[in-house]
């Protein structure tokens, strides 16, 4: 546990993540290795970047990478599922095998939007790999063909996932136990996570 009053605790260690990413890589290699053209891994910025980098190496086959960035739906928009593409793919995906790489599926609204938007571009296939899945929070059912871990309804940071832009480079995945406290002081976990020499603890 880190942070005074146990604000956060390790939910999934870096070693467990690495092991599971290797397994996912093997599963994905089975699916894509004999395809005519290399699959296109589409990373959803920014949360999926660490996962994508590790997964890409774990898959180990010829593959292309592209990125999308979307605005998360604002509090004022509520849970309408209205998201906006801030950065689109550089390449076309018509006729391609596309693998959407997501950090986490929560309500499912973002993924539903992304699958629809990419599906309209005529890919040969469209699948999703999500590192984390908060099944209990789902509002809209959406296919997640490959998942790393199912997790409970807790807010998580680390391994790419952030709180107000911070903590993405924390190697373990932490559950934030006191989100209200962290919201009050977003830097609360900087000290415990990065230590006195400023390097992330491992
Ligand atoms: P959804 O549209 O509700 O499924 O939300 C997906 C997005 O919400 C993710 O891509 C994350 O950016 C963000 N998100 C959801 N839960 C968490 C969390 O526990 N920690 C950090 N970001 C989260």
């Amino acid at each position: 546990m880190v942070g005074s009053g146990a604000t956060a605790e390790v939910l999934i260690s870096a070693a467990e993540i690495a092991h599971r990413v290797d397994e996912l890589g093997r599963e994905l290699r089975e699916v894509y290795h004999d395809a005519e053209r290399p699959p296109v891994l589409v990373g959803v910025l920014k949360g999926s970047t660490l996962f994508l980098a590790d997964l890409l190496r774990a898959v180990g086959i010829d593959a292309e990478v592209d990125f999308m960035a979307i605005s998360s739906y604002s509090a004022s928009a509520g849970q309408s599922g209205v998201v906006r593409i801030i950065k689109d793919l550089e390449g076309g995906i018509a006729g391609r095998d596309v693998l959407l790489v997501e950090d986490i599926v929560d309500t499912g609204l973002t993924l539903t939007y992304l699958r629809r938007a990419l599906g309209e571009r005529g890919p040969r296939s469209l699948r999703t790999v999500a590192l984390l899945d908060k099944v209990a929070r789902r509002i809209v059912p959406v296919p997640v063909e490959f998942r790393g871990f199912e997790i409970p309804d807790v807010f998580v940071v680390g391994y790419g996932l952030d709180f107000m832009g911070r903590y993405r480079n924390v190697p373990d995945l932490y559950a934030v136990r006191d989100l209200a406290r962290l919201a009050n002081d977003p830097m609360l976990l900087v000290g415990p996570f990065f230590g006195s020499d400023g390097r992330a603890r491992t």
Side-chain angles (χ1 to χ4, degrees):
M1 292 198 189
V2 298
S4 42
T7 308
E9 60 192 15
V10 174
L11 184 67
I12 307 170
S13 72
E16 288 173 292
I17 294 170
H19 181 76
R20 186 70 187 114
V21 170
D22 265 1
E23 287 178 346
L24 285 173
R26 236 172 288 139
E27 275 182 58
L28 291 167
R29 187 155 63 237
E30 283 299 306
V31 174
Y32 292 110
H33 78 278
D34 58 1
E36 223 167 89
R37 296 178 71 187
V40 185
L41 273 63
V42 173
V44 184
L45 295 171
K46 301 170 184 162
S48 73
T49 48
L50 274 67
F51 178 44
L52 175 73
D54 288 342
L55 189 68
L56 194 58
R57 283 174 285 204
V59 175
I61 56 164
D62 188 22
E64 291 177 23
V65 176
D66 211 336
F67 290 98
M68 274 185 113
I70 48 163
S71 66
S72 39
Y73 34 87
S74 63
S76 59
Q79 293 187 321
S80 59
V82 177
V83 288
R84 202 165 47 85
I85 295 175
I86 296 172
K87 184 218 169 295
D88 207 339
L89 299 177
E90 277 176 29
I93 54 166
R96 305 297 301 270
D97 290 305
V98 174
L99 180 66
L100 252 175
V101 182
E102 268 282 20
D103 51 355
I104 187 165
V105 184
D106 187 15
T107 62
L109 291 168
T110 306
L111 183 56
T112 300
Y113 172 83
L114 282 172
R115 287 188 73 117
R116 195 180 309 130
L118 296 185
E120 284 169 358
R121 300 179 191 184
R124 180 170 176 268
S125 67
L126 177 59
R127 298 182 180 91
T128 301
V129 57
L131 176 69
L132 306 169
D133 191 351
K134 282 188 201 171
V135 178
R137 294 251 314 158
R138 198 74 89 251
I139 291 177
V140 277
V142 60
V144 180
E145 286 82 359
F146 306 93
R147 92 193 62 210
F149 302 92
E150 188 178 323
I151 61 166
D153 180 10
V154 286
F155 192 85
V156 289
V157 294
Y159 196 65
L161 289 107
D162 75 309
F163 180 76
M164 295 181 75
R166 286 204 146 80
Y167 310 127
R168 292 191 198 275
N169 59 337
V170 173
D172 299 304
L173 201 83
Y174 280 83
V176 177
R177 292 294 174 209
D178 196 341
L179 200 55
R181 220 165 133 222
L182 189 60
N184 222 17
D185 179 8
M187 289 172 68
L188 186 67
L189 294 170
V190 171
F193 279 159
F194 295 98
S196 53
D197 65 352
R199 285 293 303 272
R201 296 177 200 276
T202 51

